[in-house]
Amino acid sequence: MCRPRVVKSDCAFLESRRLHHPVLAGRMSGSFIPNDVALGSEAQNNSAAEHPKVMIFTGPNMSGKSTVLRMTCVAAIMAHMGCY
């Protein structure tokens, strides 16, 4: 785990590395694969390094779409609360 950094910026962005779902990671005893999530860009004029601001997840049932969405939302909420 690492301490989240909440920064003041004119652009909205979220970047998470090796993100774990707080419940599933504990229940799966080491078999949970962490994910990287990047939305938006910290630099306003750096369009080459900009990540998409919106992601659309498609795929078959049981492919992890809801897990990625939930762990990203939970991580953002926990960071704002100071829980890490």
Side-chain angles (χ1 to χ4, degrees):
M1 291 286 258
C2 67
R3 184 176 183 169
R5 244 182 356 128
V6 179
V7 297
K8 190 173 186 176
S9 175
D10 292 335
C11 302
F13 71 95
L14 172 83
E15 185 175 332
S16 300
R17 294 190 187 111
R18 299 190 48 80
L19 193 60
H20 289 79
H21 190 287
V23 175
L24 289 180
R27 295 179 86 189
M28 295 179 72
S29 66
S31 62
F32 187 84
I33 299 171
N35 293 283
D36 295 344
V37 176
L39 293 170
S41 177
E42 185 174 3
Q44 189 170 10
N45 297 331
N46 191 1
S47 62
E50 187 172 325
H51 299 287
K53 293 182 174 127
V54 175
M55 287 187 186
I56 298 175
F57 288 100
T58 62
N61 293 341
M62 301 297 293
S63 62
K65 300 178 297 288
S66 296
T67 302
V68 171
L69 177 65
R70 286 184 186 127
M71 73 180 179
T72 303
C73 294
V74 167
I77 292 168
M78 289 176 69
H80 282 281
M81 289 174 50
C83 300
Y84 47 88

